Amino acid sequence: MTFHSLGFAKIVLLANNLAEVIIDQGIVMNLAMVNQYHEFLTKHLQAPFSLLINKKNEYSYDFNAQMKIANIPQINAMAVVTYTRDSEFTTQLLSETIYRQTAWNMKMFPQREMALEWLEYQQQQLRLSTGNDYS
């Protein structure tokens, strides 16, 4: 495990194709932050990769960030750990109302361990379906 700070988020590299993302409390993500976040992911992870989005803090996105967040083809799957109904609602709203070039393979979970299991399964399914070893 390797920890990184982007100044607005912490990213924990759990494997070469799996990262946990924790946005800092009170942040309003803007387009520059999203671009920095995407750049970090593509430089530090082997694609296709999966993300564990840990929503333990409250944060939001401005309009431009909403349009761009997680809109890169290198993402295989995203598991979002939500701790409140508000967090679950806003995540669902973001996933359903914004046009994506690539549809999200996303699922929400109440517990981190469940989310990790699902992501590992998604990565395994990808390896099996493509015949490539992305691990």
Side-chain angles (χ1 to χ4, degrees), residues 37-102:
Y37 166 62
H38 288 169
E39 183 178 331
F40 178 89
L41 295 176
T42 58
K43 283 185 177 180
H44 291 87
L45 292 170
Q46 180 181 345
F49 51 79
S50 291
L51 302 172
L52 171 66
I53 310 300
N54 190 330
K55 296 192 80 162
K56 69 181 193 175
N57 295 321
E58 292 182 26
Y59 58 91
S60 61
Y61 303 90
D62 71 16
F63 179 76
N64 292 323
Q66 287 179 28
M67 300 301 288
K68 183 101 182 222
I69 191 73
N71 203 5
I72 57 174
Q74 295 91 336
I75 298 173
N76 175 45
M78 292 183 294
V80 182
V81 183
T82 58
Y83 299 94
T84 65
R85 288 183 194 246
D86 285 345
S87 177
E88 187 175 339
F89 174 76
T90 57
T91 301
Q92 193 70 31
L93 189 64
L94 185 62
S95 72
E96 293 177 353
T97 59
I98 304 295
Y99 169 76
R100 305 283 172 206
Q101 294 171 350
T102 304

Side-chain angles (χ1 to χ4, degrees), residues 14 27 40 44 55 62 79 87 92 105-106 109 112 115 128 132-133:
L14 302 171
I27 292 294
F40 178 89
H44 291 87
K55 296 192 80 162
D62 71 16
S87 177
Q92 193 70 31
N105 177 15
M106 184 193 80
F109 295 90
R112 184 180 181 276
L128 292 173
N132 291 322
D133 185 12

Side-chain angles (χ1 to χ4, degrees), residues 5-9 24 27 36:
S5 177
L6 299 182
F8 56 87
D24 295 339
I27 292 294
Q36 182 182 353

